[in-house]
Amino acid sequence: SPWAVEDILGEEDEQDRVPLQKLKLLGESEELRDLLLNPHLRQLLLAIDQAQDKSSLLRKFMQEPLFVEFADCCLSIVEPPEKENILPE
């Protein structure tokens, strides 16, 4: 029978789960699309996808400004900053 995300996530993992409707927002972001046009970023993402030890590679890539920009962009889409924390322009 087909598996579901719930089959591999325990209760402790649930707080890290992003709802599907928020993940769909990633595909609608022009800023994220622009970042993904960068061939260096695409190589970094492919390396992570193909790596055996993803966690140590992620730690290494979190030192790369381009990867940090990508991660920050994704996070700002799925968890937008609270309005009261934004400084007025």
Side-chain angles (χ1 to χ4, degrees):
S1 70
W3 62 273
V5 172
E6 292 79 16
D7 295 335
I8 58 173
L9 289 180
E11 284 185 31
E12 65 277 358
D13 298 318
E14 191 65 30
Q15 69 187 24
D16 295 330
R17 189 168 167 203
V18 178
L20 185 58
Q21 63 269 27
K22 286 196 171 197
L23 289 176
K24 288 181 180 180
L25 295 175
L26 294 172
E28 299 169 7
S29 169
E30 196 66 38
E31 181 184 4
L32 185 56
R33 272 192 219 134
D34 289 344
L35 280 173
L36 289 170
L37 291 175
N38 184 308
H40 181 60
L41 177 60
R42 293 169 74 118
Q43 279 302 115
L44 295 176
L45 295 173
L46 276 173
I48 291 169
D49 185 51
Q50 296 169 353
Q52 292 293 320
D53 185 6
K54 294 178 187 333
S55 62
S56 67
L57 194 56
L58 272 173
R59 277 193 292 278
K60 176 183 171 191
F61 286 174
M62 286 306 288
Q63 305 304 311
E64 292 265 348
L66 179 59
F67 187 82
V68 173
E69 183 181 359
F70 166 75
D72 287 345
C73 181
C74 291
L75 285 173
S76 72
I77 294 166
V78 297
E79 285 188 8
E82 298 292 325
K83 292 198 185 311
E84 65 264 8
N85 292 337
I86 298 174
L87 294 172
E89 293 182 17

